[in-house]
Amino acid sequence: MEKSKALQFLINNQSFDPFRIFCIGKNYDEHIKELGGNQRPSEPVVFMKPVSSIVPPEDILFYPCYGAELHHEAEMVLLIGKEGKDISEENAYSHIVGVTLGLDLTLRDVQSKLKKSGLPWELSKSFEQSAPLGHFKAYDSGSIDLENLSFSCCVNGDLRQNGNTGDMIFPIKSLIKALSGWWTLRPGDIIFTGTPSGVGPLKIGDKIEIQNSDIGSFSWEITSS
Ligand code: MG
């Protein structure tokens, strides 16, 4: 695979180098149910993807070189613009500089096997090109309501996921509070905030589109590797 160019996000004339990608698992009840679970987590479930796994919109997206069941997980994604440790819920939004949508691509068959064996999830979640990511839009609390933001995911034009951030188990404020208790959040940190129900398999040739009316529409087509 060709080495991709270094990515930078430009927001209000300020550029941000992606620093880390935090991902939140099990943040919507209906998604926990569809995967056969029945318990709400008592604190946010966190895993990470490498920054090198980001795929900008319209870039070539290859089917992974291992695994048999590639799932889309459409998610609302945040970009942190200001450093902070132990951030309060009241101050949480002031640390967000950008918002977009992304796909937490998951090799579900690999994940199921790892879960059964009590092993870490990296092989199922952190593979090459596992983080297709839309373009960030400057966050402005006047025009974007993070507590009531709808987003959708279509595959070949068929609606597969239709979520709203209002259904999160841990809303964005509490995610920032929790994450900043465990890590010092830094400019360039990216947070995938969890997926609503409707996840499902993808195959070579599929066109995936994620969309929100205020943020935009981003798409990728899966190519054979
Ligand atoms: Mg996810």
mmCIF file of all heavy atoms in Angstrom, residues 25-27 36-37 61 67-68 75 78 80 99 120 123 128 130 143 155 165 177 213 225:
data_model
loop_
_atom_site.group_PDB
_atom_site.id
_atom_site.type_symbol
_atom_site.label_atom_id
_atom_site.label_comp_id
_atom_site.label_asym_id
_atom_site.label_seq_id
_atom_site.Cartn_x
_atom_site.Cartn_y
_atom_site.Cartn_z
ATOM 1 N N GLY A 25 -17.096 2.759 22.506
ATOM 2 C CA GLY A 25 -17.918 1.603 22.154
ATOM 3 C C GLY A 25 -19.169 1.575 23.015
ATOM 4 O O GLY A 25 -19.221 2.212 24.070
ATOM 5 N N LYS A 26 -20.184 0.868 22.564
ATOM 6 C CA LYS A 26 -21.400 0.617 23.361
ATOM 7 C C LYS A 26 -22.005 1.898 23.934
ATOM 8 O O LYS A 26 -22.267 1.987 25.131
ATOM 9 C CB LYS A 26 -21.075 -0.350 24.507
ATOM 10 C CG LYS A 26 -20.501 -1.670 24.013
ATOM 11 C CD LYS A 26 -20.254 -2.628 25.159
ATOM 12 C CE LYS A 26 -19.718 -3.941 24.627
ATOM 13 N NZ LYS A 26 -19.478 -4.940 25.643
ATOM 14 N N ASN A 27 -22.248 2.889 23.069
ATOM 15 C CA ASN A 27 -22.790 4.155 23.586
ATOM 16 C C ASN A 27 -24.261 4.380 23.216
ATOM 17 O O ASN A 27 -24.801 5.446 23.497
ATOM 18 C CB ASN A 27 -21.932 5.336 23.113
ATOM 19 C CG ASN A 27 -22.058 6.540 24.024
ATOM 20 O OD1 ASN A 27 -22.483 6.408 25.183
ATOM 21 N ND2 ASN A 27 -21.720 7.704 23.522
ATOM 22 N N GLY A 36 -26.367 -8.405 20.533
ATOM 23 C CA GLY A 36 -26.655 -9.505 21.455
ATOM 24 C C GLY A 36 -26.325 -9.194 22.898
ATOM 25 O O GLY A 36 -26.366 -10.079 23.752
ATOM 26 N N GLY A 37 -26.009 -7.945 23.214
ATOM 27 C CA GLY A 37 -25.703 -7.578 24.597
ATOM 28 C C GLY A 37 -26.955 -7.110 25.309
ATOM 29 O O GLY A 37 -27.983 -6.856 24.687
ATOM 30 N N LEU A 61 -10.764 3.240 -0.767
ATOM 31 C CA LEU A 61 -10.936 2.462 0.469
ATOM 32 C C LEU A 61 -10.881 0.981 0.091
ATOM 33 O O LEU A 61 -11.772 0.479 -0.599
ATOM 34 C CB LEU A 61 -12.279 2.816 1.115
ATOM 35 C CG LEU A 61 -12.656 2.085 2.394
ATOM 36 C CD1 LEU A 61 -11.633 2.336 3.503
ATOM 37 C CD2 LEU A 61 -14.048 2.525 2.874
ATOM 38 N N GLY A 67 -10.064 -11.087 7.591
ATOM 39 C CA GLY A 67 -11.410 -10.916 8.128
ATOM 40 C C GLY A 67 -12.437 -11.163 7.045
ATOM 41 O O GLY A 67 -12.159 -10.973 5.849
ATOM 42 N N ALA A 68 -13.650 -11.603 7.456
ATOM 43 C CA ALA A 68 -14.673 -11.966 6.482
ATOM 44 C C ALA A 68 -15.921 -11.096 6.571
ATOM 45 O O ALA A 68 -16.755 -11.108 5.673
ATOM 46 C CB ALA A 68 -15.066 -13.430 6.685
ATOM 47 N N GLU A 75 -20.623 7.260 12.891
ATOM 48 C CA GLU A 75 -20.501 7.919 14.193
ATOM 49 C C GLU A 75 -20.289 9.426 14.044
ATOM 50 O O GLU A 75 -19.706 9.888 13.066
ATOM 51 C CB GLU A 75 -19.311 7.319 14.974
ATOM 52 C CG GLU A 75 -19.345 5.791 14.944
ATOM 53 C CD GLU A 75 -18.562 5.094 16.035
ATOM 54 O OE1 GLU A 75 -17.878 5.787 16.817
ATOM 55 O OE2 GLU A 75 -18.665 3.848 16.095
ATOM 56 N N LEU A 78 -15.643 14.187 16.899
ATOM 57 C CA LEU A 78 -15.231 15.500 17.421
ATOM 58 C C LEU A 78 -13.745 15.711 17.216
ATOM 59 O O LEU A 78 -12.967 14.751 17.264
ATOM 60 C CB LEU A 78 -15.490 15.561 18.936
ATOM 61 C CG LEU A 78 -16.864 15.128 19.420
ATOM 62 C CD1 LEU A 78 -16.851 14.981 20.942
ATOM 63 C CD2 LEU A 78 -17.902 16.153 18.981
ATOM 64 N N ILE A 80 -10.707 17.903 19.027
ATOM 65 C CA ILE A 80 -10.353 18.720 20.193
ATOM 66 C C ILE A 80 -9.391 19.828 19.743
ATOM 67 O O ILE A 80 -8.446 19.580 18.992
ATOM 68 C CB ILE A 80 -9.697 17.843 21.288
ATOM 69 C CG1 ILE A 80 -10.700 16.794 21.815
ATOM 70 C CG2 ILE A 80 -9.126 18.690 22.435
ATOM 71 C CD1 ILE A 80 -11.899 17.353 22.560
ATOM 72 N N VAL A 99 -16.435 19.376 14.208
ATOM 73 C CA VAL A 99 -17.300 18.188 14.242
ATOM 74 C C VAL A 99 -17.421 17.631 12.825
ATOM 75 O O VAL A 99 -17.403 18.367 11.842
ATOM 76 C CB VAL A 99 -18.719 18.489 14.790
ATOM 77 C CG1 VAL A 99 -18.677 18.878 16.234
ATOM 78 C CG2 VAL A 99 -19.403 19.562 13.969
ATOM 79 N N PRO A 120 -7.634 -8.290 23.385
ATOM 80 C CA PRO A 120 -7.848 -6.903 22.934
ATOM 81 C C PRO A 120 -8.429 -6.847 21.518
ATOM 82 O O PRO A 120 -8.275 -7.780 20.732
ATOM 83 C CB PRO A 120 -6.440 -6.295 22.957
ATOM 84 C CG PRO A 120 -5.622 -7.198 23.793
ATOM 85 C CD PRO A 120 -6.218 -8.563 23.688
ATOM 86 N N LEU A 123 -7.078 -6.017 16.343
ATOM 87 C CA LEU A 123 -7.148 -6.634 15.012
ATOM 88 C C LEU A 123 -8.503 -6.414 14.349
ATOM 89 O O LEU A 123 -8.612 -6.438 13.128
ATOM 90 C CB LEU A 123 -6.867 -8.145 15.112
ATOM 91 C CG LEU A 123 -5.405 -8.555 15.277
ATOM 92 C CD1 LEU A 123 -5.304 -10.062 15.495
ATOM 93 C CD2 LEU A 123 -4.595 -8.154 14.041
ATOM 94 N N GLU A 128 -5.574 -1.263 8.942
ATOM 95 C CA GLU A 128 -5.312 -0.184 7.999
ATOM 96 C C GLU A 128 -6.628 0.288 7.373
ATOM 97 O O GLU A 128 -7.463 -0.536 7.000
ATOM 98 C CB GLU A 128 -4.353 -0.666 6.901
ATOM 99 C CG GLU A 128 -2.920 -0.727 7.412
ATOM 100 C CD GLU A 128 -1.960 -1.344 6.408
ATOM 101 O OE1 GLU A 128 -2.393 -1.788 5.340
ATOM 102 O OE2 GLU A 128 -0.771 -1.375 6.742
ATOM 103 N N SER A 130 -9.150 1.740 8.766
ATOM 104 C CA SER A 130 -10.348 1.439 9.568
ATOM 105 C C SER A 130 -11.095 2.692 10.018
ATOM 106 O O SER A 130 -12.113 2.577 10.701
ATOM 107 C CB SER A 130 -9.964 0.599 10.792
ATOM 108 O OG SER A 130 -8.999 1.279 11.566
ATOM 109 N N SER A 143 -24.963 27.010 15.960
ATOM 110 C CA SER A 143 -25.529 26.358 14.772
ATOM 111 C C SER A 143 -25.532 24.833 14.848
ATOM 112 O O SER A 143 -26.211 24.180 14.063
ATOM 113 C CB SER A 143 -24.782 26.818 13.516
ATOM 114 O OG SER A 143 -23.421 26.469 13.617
ATOM 115 N N VAL A 155 -26.006 2.659 2.341
ATOM 116 C CA VAL A 155 -25.120 1.798 1.549
ATOM 117 C C VAL A 155 -25.820 1.538 0.227
ATOM 118 O O VAL A 155 -26.955 1.031 0.211
ATOM 119 C CB VAL A 155 -24.796 0.481 2.291
ATOM 120 C CG1 VAL A 155 -23.901 -0.407 1.426
ATOM 121 C CG2 VAL A 155 -24.113 0.774 3.622
ATOM 122 N N THR A 165 -27.685 11.955 18.399
ATOM 123 C CA THR A 165 -26.794 12.009 19.567
ATOM 124 C C THR A 165 -27.574 12.108 20.884
ATOM 125 O O THR A 165 -27.021 11.823 21.940
ATOM 126 C CB THR A 165 -25.833 13.211 19.467
ATOM 127 O OG1 THR A 165 -26.619 14.398 19.310
ATOM 128 C CG2 THR A 165 -24.899 13.077 18.271
ATOM 129 N N LYS A 177 -15.482 14.698 29.727
ATOM 130 C CA LYS A 177 -15.110 14.677 31.148
ATOM 131 C C LYS A 177 -14.359 13.370 31.477
ATOM 132 O O LYS A 177 -13.289 13.387 32.092
ATOM 133 C CB LYS A 177 -16.371 14.802 32.013
ATOM 134 C CG LYS A 177 -16.064 14.795 33.485
ATOM 135 C CD LYS A 177 -17.320 14.962 34.325
ATOM 136 C CE LYS A 177 -16.906 14.997 35.802
ATOM 137 N NZ LYS A 177 -17.776 14.275 36.673
ATOM 138 N N SER A 213 -27.337 17.185 7.789
ATOM 139 C CA SER A 213 -27.666 18.358 6.984
ATOM 140 C C SER A 213 -26.781 19.567 7.295
ATOM 141 O O SER A 213 -26.548 20.409 6.422
ATOM 142 C CB SER A 213 -29.140 18.713 7.159
ATOM 143 O OG SER A 213 -29.443 18.775 8.528
ATOM 144 N N SER A 225 -8.565 -5.180 -2.714
ATOM 145 C CA SER A 225 -7.168 -4.797 -2.441
ATOM 146 C C SER A 225 -6.217 -5.494 -3.409
ATOM 147 O O SER A 225 -6.563 -6.421 -4.067
ATOM 148 C CB SER A 225 -6.804 -5.144 -0.994
ATOM 149 O OG SER A 225 -7.178 -6.453 -0.723
#
